[in-house]
Amino acid sequence: MNYKINLLLATFLMTGSFCFAQSDEKVIEDFEPSSVNQPGHEYPMVNSQGRVRTQIFAPDAKYVQLDIGGVKYDMVKDEEGIWTGESAPQDVGFHYYQLNIDGASVPDPGALLYFGACRWGSGIEIPSDDQDIFAVKDVPHGHVHEILFPSESTRTSRRAFVYTPPGYEKETSKSYPVLYLQHGYCENETSWSRQGHANLIMDNLIAEGKAKPFIIVMTYGMTNEIEFGGLRDFDIKPFQTVLVDELIPYIDSHFRTLANQENRAMAGLSMGGFETKLITLNRPDVFSYYGLFSGGVYKPEEIKDHENLKLVFISCGSKERPEGVKNAVSELKDAGYNAFSYISEGTAHEFHTWRRSLHQLAQLLFK
């Protein structure tokens, strides 16, 4: 199975963060409101097994289902017209989901909205033992700036989000390295800071002295224009032009960056990893650090002529293809490259895998 076919499967999984695990366990009644609920809403709720329970008032509906992880769960209506239902246990971390009411898929009015699965829709957080990595702590915080940059190639002003680390506004004589961080298929430039919590991950690492302060730039990867099933025809050149020829010069002229290859990194999740691989192979002069999160691998012969390549980082969830990642990194190490693998235990093609991956990569960058 070639890389693009593997990617097609991966991006298919991305649209729902599929988890096919079923469970005959007795439901434990220790449900608590989700941490990402709309203010004042008790539902959706999560229990210690990782089950999601939700409610909605729809007295005239004929059937209602909870749709999460690519599996639909029937909900039950009471005498007052309130439908209630829960899922099987889910992996820890963040998941997109929706409700299906008489065949119409709609967001859950009790949950916050996130852009993913090609839509603005509901999100749920299943508590994990390591959610401390993106917790809001009493530490210095950076800022996430929303910017518009001119794009002559697309004849538009395009949006990006830029994380600047704590102290950026005060230490005006200091310049910083930059990580260009890409989202997945059917996501957008909001995804890494909203559901990925990239800024909080960085704030905490910097406060702990585990990561060097750097800027993160997150922009739309032009992936949603590709119809599902049409990834074989994906052309990286338009986005490569936007990123390399338009966005990077804009960032270097509007932020205090160390504007050279040695202080520039690119990484991405899933489709964003695919874009990262293509761009770094096409333009090896631009970046010195490469990161693929559930987005394929590099072979030694593909990067044999890459000068000033300082790091190759490849990761995935333990429920994906971890042996492929480990073997690829072993080959890179044998060929003399500074390569690292990371496997997120107990997760699949989903955001907690990629949060953990960023947490690991950030500690290796620009050292």
Side-chain angles (χ1 to χ4, degrees):
M1 187 179 291
N2 66 31
Y3 178 75
K4 289 191 176 181
I5 294 176
N6 279 336
L7 177 73
L8 178 59
L9 174 60
T11 51
F12 174 71
L13 294 175
M14 174 61 211
T15 62
S17 297
F18 278 56
C19 178
F20 293 107
Q22 299 292 329
S23 175
D24 294 325
E25 291 181 276
K26 182 180 178 180
V27 177
I28 298 175
E29 292 297 332
D30 59 355
F31 286 88
E32 294 185 358
S34 168
S35 61
V36 291
N37 281 3
Q38 296 272 9
H41 284 258
E42 185 179 11
Y43 289 87
M45 306 180 88
V46 180
N47 77 350
S48 58
Q49 297 167 302
R51 298 178 189 270
V52 176
R53 175 177 287 172
T54 191
Q55 282 189 350
I56 189 168
F57 179 67
D60 298 327
K62 296 178 181 178
Y63 71 90
V64 179
Q65 295 174 312
L66 166 61
D67 181 353
I68 184 170
V71 179
K72 293 183 174 67
Y73 301 90
D74 292 332
M75 299 172 65
V76 178
K77 183 171 69 170
D78 67 12
E79 295 178 355
E80 297 179 355
I82 298 175
W83 296 79
T84 305
E86 66 264 339
S87 72
Q90 304 293 307
D91 291 346
V92 297
F94 178 87
H95 302 275
Y96 305 113
Y97 78 99
Q98 58 193 347
L99 299 179
N100 189 280
I101 302 177
D102 290 346
S105 295
V106 298
D108 184 340
L112 294 177
L113 299 182
Y114 301 84
F115 191 82
C118 296
R119 56 176 170 76
W120 283 99
S122 307
I124 193 80
E125 188 74 38
I126 309 299
S128 63
D129 292 339
D130 62 346
Q131 61 191 24
D132 183 69
I133 66 174
F134 57 86
V136 179
K137 301 179 183 179
D138 185 16
V139 299
H141 293 287
H143 293 90
V144 178
H145 312 260
E146 181 177 351
I147 66 167
L148 294 173
F149 65 96
S151 170
E152 182 178 347
S153 66
T154 61
R155 299 180 181 179
T156 61
S157 290
R158 302 184 65 84
R159 185 171 70 162
F161 288 88
V162 180
Y163 166 80
T164 53
Y168 178 88
E169 285 76 14
K170 292 183 179 180
E171 300 172 8
T172 56
S173 62
K174 185 175 180 179
S175 296
Y176 297 83
V178 185
L179 165 64
Y180 289 83
L181 186 62
Q182 288 306 121
H183 59 82
Y185 182 75
C186 279
E187 294 176 333
N188 70 6
E189 63 273 24
T190 66
S191 300
W192 263 112
S193 54
R194 279 186 55 81
Q195 50 264 49
H197 302 302
N199 54 316
L200 297 176
I201 290 171
M202 286 303 305
D203 290 344
N204 294 336
L205 284 174
I206 293 169
E208 295 166 6
K210 294 181 178 179
K212 184 174 181 178
F214 56 83
I215 293 169
I216 302 178
V217 179
M218 300 156 279
T219 197
Y220 181 55
M222 300 177 69
T223 58
N224 286 4
E225 287 82 353
I226 303 300
E227 294 291 334
F228 183 74
L231 292 174
R232 289 174 178 272
D233 302 322
F234 178 69
D235 183 2
I236 191 61
K237 291 180 182 178
F239 178 57
Q240 179 174 300
T241 297
V242 168
L243 181 72
V244 175
D245 298 332
E246 297 170 343
L247 179 56
I248 289 178
Y250 182 91
I251 294 297
D252 286 342
S253 63
H254 288 77
F255 291 84
R256 297 195 312 278
T257 68
L258 295 170
N260 54 43
Q261 178 192 9
E262 290 78 6
N263 287 286
R264 198 178 290 130
M266 186 174 182
L269 68 89
S270 192
M271 183 71 183
F274 182 42
E275 293 172 330
T276 296
K277 179 175 181 180
L278 293 178
I279 290 175
T280 54
L281 292 183
N282 290 342
R283 292 295 306 272
D285 57 309
V286 179
F287 304 97
S288 283
Y289 301 82
Y290 306 165
L292 308 181
F293 307 163
S294 305
V297 299
Y298 292 99
K299 296 180 180 179
E301 58 268 25
E302 292 178 312
I303 54 177
K304 61 183 177 63
D305 296 324
H306 288 214
E307 296 182 3
N308 301 316
L309 176 55
K310 298 182 180 298
L311 173 72
V312 178
F313 178 94
I314 306 175
S315 70
C316 72
S318 65
K319 297 183 180 182
E320 297 187 90
R321 297 181 64 248
E323 292 308 314
V325 167
K326 292 176 182 178
N327 291 339
V329 168
S330 178
E331 291 180 8
L332 289 169
K333 287 183 175 180
D334 289 345
Y337 292 97
N338 184 32
F340 287 81
S341 65
Y342 171 71
I343 307 301
S344 171
E345 188 59 40
T347 60
H349 202 78
E350 53 205 14
F351 237 109
H352 206 58
T353 296
W354 307 319
R355 292 164 170 171
R356 288 170 168 173
S357 297
L358 176 61
H359 183 261
Q360 294 296 316
L361 173 64
Q363 298 178 64
L364 301 172
L365 290 179
F366 311 118
K367 295 295 183 70

